[in-house]
Amino acid sequence: MFTPRLRQILGILLFLAFLAFVEWYLGWLRLLRPWNTMPPLQLSLALTLILFSYWLRAVRLYRYFHPALEDGFLLCWRLMLQHNLFNNLLPMRSGELSFPILMSRYFSVEMTRSIPALLWFRFLDLHTLGLLALPTIIWPLLGPTATIGTSILWIALPWLFFRWGLRIEWWLSQHTQQRLPGLASRLLSGLPRDNRTFAETWWWTLVNWIVKLGVFAWVLQHFIDVDLSIALLGAIGGEVTSVLPIHGVAGLGTYEAGIMAALLPWGLEPKATLEAAVNLHLFLLAASLGGGMVTWLLPYRPHNSTSDITP
């Protein structure tokens, strides 16, 4: 529907329109004023914890391809920090392309391995966001019984997909002499192949998001007076927008829209909600840039690996 060129133009226009709208509706000087009242210790701790969440993502990647990466953990962390920076700054999800490129450059992992792994990570990310949001959304509407039942069904989805993927891969492996089934079999082989890989990937995803969303909710509460559970829902709303095909440069506009969509149904004032959403997004971008600066301290030497790495 949208060509890459048109998506780029739309992203830039959305970015410029958002900057102009915030200046007209709120005023950037007024919007940034609450940062003066944030204790330096709180800000430093929040940035440190976000950096720790990026470290947890590196652990997930390292364990997913272990033991093939051997002693390349610091290089994994460098890769994750760079991928996160590109992902948050570049428009139209183009930053995602950096992951297979960096995996090939640093570890000689073929794209038929790294792209399925990235898709698996993104599926687990979205699944975890949904899992953390479900209780807050469903409990007030349907009560505890429905909330528990829905959560159990939702938790089972990764396991079902994992088992179905193995069965489909086995069937395709019987038809590798044909081009399309052979290619599909190679792509599916980049997904988890055993229970250990599946369980570890899921665990590190959950821990990462608990830390990251907890920090975002904490920061959001500095800018708007809401309960922690509602602030957590707002943080989830912003992160869910990361899957949208069209968004502005650095996600400006769509990230705030996701936060507001999650918070406004709870009766919050729109202008105050927008101010909080923009400031949380600025915190996210600052943390991404800080993580990018950390990469200068980490080793760059490509790891001696092979292209037939399997998770």
Side-chain angles (χ1 to χ4, degrees):
M1 181 177 180
F2 297 100
T3 65
R5 181 65 175 175
L6 180 57
R7 288 186 177 188
Q8 183 179 26
I9 293 174
L10 289 175
I12 295 174
L13 290 177
L14 182 59
F15 171 75
L16 296 175
F18 180 77
L19 292 180
F21 173 75
V22 170
E23 177 59 32
W24 169 78
Y25 188 60
L26 300 173
W28 281 99
L29 289 179
R30 172 192 165 184
L31 182 143
L32 296 174
R33 196 170 296 129
W35 286 103
N36 294 328
T37 63
M38 177 174 284
L41 181 60
Q42 179 183 351
L43 180 59
S44 299
L45 181 58
L47 289 171
T48 300
L49 288 173
I50 290 299
L51 191 61
F52 175 63
S53 76
Y54 299 154
W55 181 86
L56 291 171
R57 282 181 173 263
V59 173
R60 179 176 70 171
L61 173 63
Y62 182 73
R63 296 300 304 171
Y64 191 79
F65 287 101
H66 185 80
L69 303 188
E70 296 178 357
D71 59 345
F73 176 75
L74 289 180
L75 198 56
C76 277
W77 195 21
R78 178 188 176 95
L79 185 153
M80 277 291 100
L81 291 172
Q82 290 179 328
H83 178 230
N84 181 72
L85 177 63
F86 295 144
N87 218 17
N88 285 327
L89 294 185
L90 297 181
M92 304 307 160
R93 309 310 302 160
S94 55
E96 293 284 25
L97 297 175
S98 66
F99 181 79
I101 294 173
L102 292 173
M103 284 295 290
S104 176
R105 178 184 301 173
Y106 290 168
F107 299 107
S108 302
V109 175
E110 292 181 354
M111 290 190 179
T112 53
R113 304 291 188 186
S114 58
I115 292 178
L118 177 62
L119 293 175
W120 175 248
F121 292 159
R122 286 293 169 261
F123 166 71
L124 289 181
D125 289 338
L126 286 174
H127 177 268
T128 303
L129 289 173
L131 178 64
L132 295 175
L134 276 176
T136 303
I137 297 174
I138 297 179
W139 190 290
L141 298 176
L142 303 178
T145 302
T147 300
I148 295 173
T150 304
S151 299
I152 292 175
L153 291 175
W154 186 261
I155 289 173
L157 284 180
W159 172 256
L160 293 176
F161 285 179
F162 164 59
R163 301 307 303 180
W164 289 342
L166 291 179
R167 291 189 178 187
I168 294 172
E169 183 193 350
W170 177 86
W171 182 85
L172 290 172
S173 66
Q174 310 304 308
H175 303 80
T176 53
Q177 67 276 11
Q178 303 176 30
R179 182 176 181 182
L180 289 180
L183 177 59
S185 178
R186 290 187 64 192
L187 291 174
L188 285 174
S189 67
L191 297 176
R193 307 297 298 279
D194 55 70
N195 294 333
R196 180 199 63 79
T197 304
F198 166 78
E200 285 195 3
T201 309
W202 197 3
W203 165 253
W204 289 115
T205 300
L206 181 61
V207 174
N208 163 72
W209 278 112
I210 289 175
V211 173
K212 185 176 182 180
L213 292 174
V215 174
F216 282 175
W218 184 37
V219 172
L220 192 61
Q221 284 185 301
H222 177 76
F223 299 100
I224 190 168
D225 184 19
V226 294
D227 293 336
L228 181 61
S229 60
I230 305 302
L232 179 64
L233 200 60
I236 292 174
E239 290 300 308
V240 167
T241 62
S242 63
V243 301
L244 294 178
I246 297 177
H247 61 109
V249 177
L252 286 177
T254 48
Y255 191 87
E256 286 77 8
I259 295 176
M260 295 188 70
L263 293 183
L264 289 181
W266 299 92
L268 299 177
E269 199 274 321
K271 183 171 290 189
T273 305
L274 178 59
E275 289 180 358
V278 175
N279 279 307
L280 178 61
H281 195 184
L282 292 176
F283 172 79
L284 167 64
L285 296 177
S288 299
L289 291 171
M293 296 175 63
V294 171
T295 62
W296 296 344
L297 306 175
L298 300 176
Y300 169 72
R301 183 175 60 85
H303 192 269
N304 292 325
S305 185
T306 59
S307 60
D308 61 345
I309 291 178
T310 55

